[in-house]
Amino acid sequence: MQISPIDLGILVLYLAGITLFGAYFRRGQNSLRDYFLGGRTAPWWAIACSIVATETSTLTIISTPGIAYGGNLGFLQIVLGYLVARVILCAVLIPQYFQGEFYTAYQLLEKRFGTRMRSAAAVVFLVTRALAEGVRISAIGKVVSVAFGTGERISILIIAVLTLFYTFEGGMRAVIWTDVIQFALYITGSVAAFLLLLHKIPGGWMEVTRVAAAAGGKLTIFDFAFSLTKSYTFWAGILGGTFLTMASHGTDQTLVQRLFAARNEKDSKTALLASGVIVFVQFSLFLVLGVMLFVFAQQGALQNPGNDPDRLYPQFVVRHMPVGLTGLVLASIFAIAMSNASGSLNSLASSSIIDLGKRRTDQGALALGRSRIMTIVWGVILALLGLIHWGPVLVAGLTITSITYGAMLGVFLLGTWNRRANETGALVGFGVGLASMLCVAKLTPLAWTWYVLVGTIITYFVGGLASIAADGGQGPRQIRHQVRRQFLRNNSTDQRRNLSPFLLKQSRHSASN
């Protein structure tokens, strides 16, 4: 064991405390609305912190410094795209999500296209999120193996079991409020690491800038070269980052579910925009930490056994931080792993129950029981996927999601912007988009930052052309009426009551065109 008993005690205290805190929120749960949406009682600032904690993962904390260690601050160009996307989502998709009470993002596709499109999108989400979360969970194993000098499997099992327990008990309310605590903890730990590195480097920040410049401009942010094979350029960042975040925050149930949990549309938009500011600040911090680790390593004070950049930051935390602070930072890394896993468990369970289960949205104990059972099932699956060795975790995680996100975003935009689009066309476009991006990932040198943009374009235009070919002479008004009738027939009385004003408005709009 490489850490001190005091640090170990801090870590154990955190794990026990956050688990019990999350389980506390079991009280007052009477419906799926409580379990999957937290009763829509969370304030916007808590949802903003939860969004950031969800899109930030253990692989972000340990891999982002490694990117800057081996390169520069160019990753921030992608983060700029994250900000642009949030503004677009506030104008395009969020208003649609609040025209009725939805539990999952894919119910919007059902309303527009029908049940087959909803089910197809839900299946792709479930597979993508499970694989991506498996990568995230595996990242915590690297931290523990550095901290304790042991294998990775026991750490993965501990995290999976504890997170499963409080997510099973507390639902979305537990997820959001534990996210708030975990966000505060990992930001505090990262700032502490920054200040300690600044103190340990002789000459402080002036020495950091000198060594960074001599090493080829490691503090450089912008690269305006246009290249389809280079990941971190201005154009790949703005375009690729924008489409990546439009997909992740607009169509991925894990993040959209937090937007649904807001009290109203205004709070949802405020939370999303505020999270963008926080994300930019925190990525700047993580990348600067990587440059500082590079400078620190030049003094011979930091080793990188196995030449694995993902182990650099954990090595510094364990070997160079004072007793007590090491435990705090390790707890913060565990915190973000648990935050990701809890959010994914709840969203995977909600999509499984709502999108692939019975079409009635039951509100009693039976529905809650089914939801908790599904949470357990996904907990076991994620733990098993976390045992796989995925390679450099940040790139692996982003690549997995980028392959499917384009098709997902393309079909959502098709339903929003193309009035002639129908379910058959959407399914064809969705399938072609997925197949195309699998081929692109395997057969071309295209950088992963372009995947979502390319997949979106293919899905949108193929879906549009297929819709024209498949409409059988029916106009968009007749198609929309058919889909609405199917949606109303397949959903509960409560959902029909919630959606009827919007559908009446849409019907009147259709009649006027």
Side-chain angles (χ1 to χ4, degrees):
M1 182 178 295
Q2 300 184 34
I3 66 172
S4 71
I6 294 177
D7 292 321
L8 179 61
I10 291 173
L11 186 56
V12 171
L13 183 63
Y14 159 74
L15 292 174
I18 199 69
T19 302
L20 294 175
F21 176 74
Y24 165 81
F25 290 97
R26 181 186 178 102
R27 301 192 313 173
Q29 289 183 6
N30 300 308
S31 66
L32 291 187
R33 191 175 192 265
D34 294 329
Y35 192 71
F36 288 139
L37 302 183
R40 293 187 125 171
T41 59
W44 68 264
W45 59 267
I47 294 176
C49 291
S50 182
I51 291 172
V52 175
T54 300
E55 63 183 307
T56 306
S57 63
T58 302
L59 59 90
T60 305
I61 293 179
I62 68 176
S63 275
T64 306
I67 291 174
Y69 182 94
N72 54 31
L73 306 185
F75 191 86
L76 276 179
Q77 297 168 112
I78 297 177
V79 182
L80 290 176
Y82 295 175
L83 302 180
V84 175
R86 283 166 160 84
V87 176
I88 297 174
L89 287 174
C90 285
V92 176
L93 281 181
I94 290 183
Q96 296 191 55
Y97 281 139
F98 280 84
Q99 293 174 340
E101 181 166 298
F102 295 137
Y103 290 83
T104 76
Y106 315 113
Q107 288 178 288
L108 181 63
L109 289 180
E110 178 188 7
K111 178 166 70 75
R112 176 62 177 83
F113 290 123
T115 56
R116 291 185 299 162
M117 188 66 252
R118 182 212 70 230
S119 298
V123 168
V124 170
F125 158 72
L126 293 173
V127 173
T128 302
R129 176 48 50 199
L131 292 174
E133 197 58 39
V135 176
R136 289 177 165 189
I137 292 176
S138 71
I140 195 64
K142 296 190 176 188
V143 178
V144 174
S145 64
V146 171
F148 300 106
T150 61
E152 300 177 359
R153 292 188 175 184
I154 186 65
S155 63
I156 292 171
L157 292 177
I158 291 172
I159 291 297
V161 170
L162 294 179
T163 307
L164 175 59
F165 176 73
Y166 78 70
T167 308
F168 173 88
E169 291 289 335
M172 179 52 70
R173 193 176 289 114
V175 170
I176 290 175
W177 287 108
T178 53
D179 278 355
V180 172
I181 293 176
Q182 290 158 340
F183 165 77
L185 185 59
Y186 81 74
I187 286 295
T188 300
S190 300
V191 171
F194 172 85
L195 295 175
L196 184 62
L197 267 171
L198 203 60
H199 173 73
K200 284 183 171 290
I201 296 174
W205 185 251
M206 293 298 294
E207 178 67 7
V208 172
T209 57
R210 185 192 69 78
V211 174
K218 296 189 74 63
L219 291 176
T220 301
I221 297 176
F222 296 107
D223 180 354
F224 291 99
F226 187 85
S227 172
L228 294 178
T229 58
K230 193 174 182 180
S231 298
Y232 308 130
T233 67
F234 178 78
W235 310 109
I238 291 295
L239 294 175
T242 296
F243 276 80
L244 174 63
T245 302
M246 284 180 64
S248 63
H249 291 59
T251 71
D252 189 313
Q253 172 65 7
T254 306
L255 285 160
V256 174
Q257 191 170 355
R258 283 154 175 77
L259 300 178
F260 288 158
R263 294 168 178 169
N264 49 54
E265 180 181 336
K266 179 181 177 182
D267 277 6
S268 184
K269 291 179 178 179
T270 303
L272 184 60
L273 294 174
S275 71
V277 177
I278 299 170
V279 160
F280 184 83
V281 172
Q282 78 167 22
F283 267 103
S284 300
L285 175 60
F286 296 155
L287 289 165
V288 170
L289 278 174
V291 175
M292 296 174 75
L293 287 171
F294 175 84
V295 176
F296 190 58
Q298 302 311 298
Q299 304 170 354
L302 184 64
Q303 304 298 320
N304 185 17
N307 198 32
D308 185 352
D310 292 337
R311 293 179 179 268
L312 284 167
Y313 185 50
Q315 287 280 357
F316 172 77
V317 170
V318 171
R319 297 185 178 181
H320 298 279
M321 281 192 161
V323 173
L325 191 56
T326 297
L328 173 66
V329 177
L330 285 176
S332 73
I333 296 176
F334 273 79
I336 199 62
M338 297 178 76
S339 170
N340 297 150
S342 66
S344 292
L345 284 173
N346 196 265
S347 62
L348 288 165
S350 66
S351 185
S352 299
I353 292 294
I354 301 298
D355 295 318
L356 302 181
K358 290 184 177 181
R359 297 308 305 139
R360 293 184 301 111
T361 305
D362 298 322
Q363 295 296 321
L366 180 61
L368 284 177
R370 288 199 304 267
S371 302
R372 290 194 168 103
I373 290 173
M374 190 56 65
T375 300
I376 293 175
V377 170
W378 282 111
V380 173
I381 292 173
L382 295 188
L384 293 175
L385 290 172
L387 299 176
I388 299 174
H389 178 70
W390 296 91
V393 289
L394 182 59
V395 175
L398 290 174
T399 301
I400 288 172
T401 54
S402 295
I403 289 174
T404 60
Y405 272 172
M408 196 74 78
L409 179 59
V411 80
F412 271 84
L413 295 182
L414 183 69
T416 302
W417 290 340
N418 189 331
R419 296 179 60 193
R420 290 190 63 87
N422 54 45
E423 185 176 34
T424 299
L427 286 168
V428 171
F430 191 59
V432 171
L434 287 173
S436 298
M437 292 318 300
L438 286 172
C439 293
V440 167
K442 290 291 185 181
L443 304 176
T444 74
L446 185 70
W448 66 265
T449 41
W450 294 101
Y451 284 4
V452 180
L453 173 59
V454 173
T456 301
I457 292 173
I458 292 173
T459 302
Y460 185 88
F461 283 103
V462 171
L465 292 174
S467 294
I468 294 174
D471 66 12
Q474 297 186 85
R477 182 170 64 183
Q478 289 82 5
I479 294 170
R480 286 197 300 272
H481 280 313
Q482 288 179 5
V483 172
R484 290 190 193 101
R485 285 196 297 269
Q486 182 183 23
F487 184 80
L488 291 174
R489 185 169 58 251
N490 289 335
N491 285 274
S492 68
T493 302
D494 288 340
Q495 285 182 302
R496 291 198 298 270
R497 187 179 299 114
N498 288 329
L499 287 167
S500 57
F502 169 67
L503 296 177
L504 179 60
K505 177 182 176 182
Q506 290 296 301
S507 298
R508 289 171 178 169
H509 176 73
S510 299
S512 66
N513 291 318

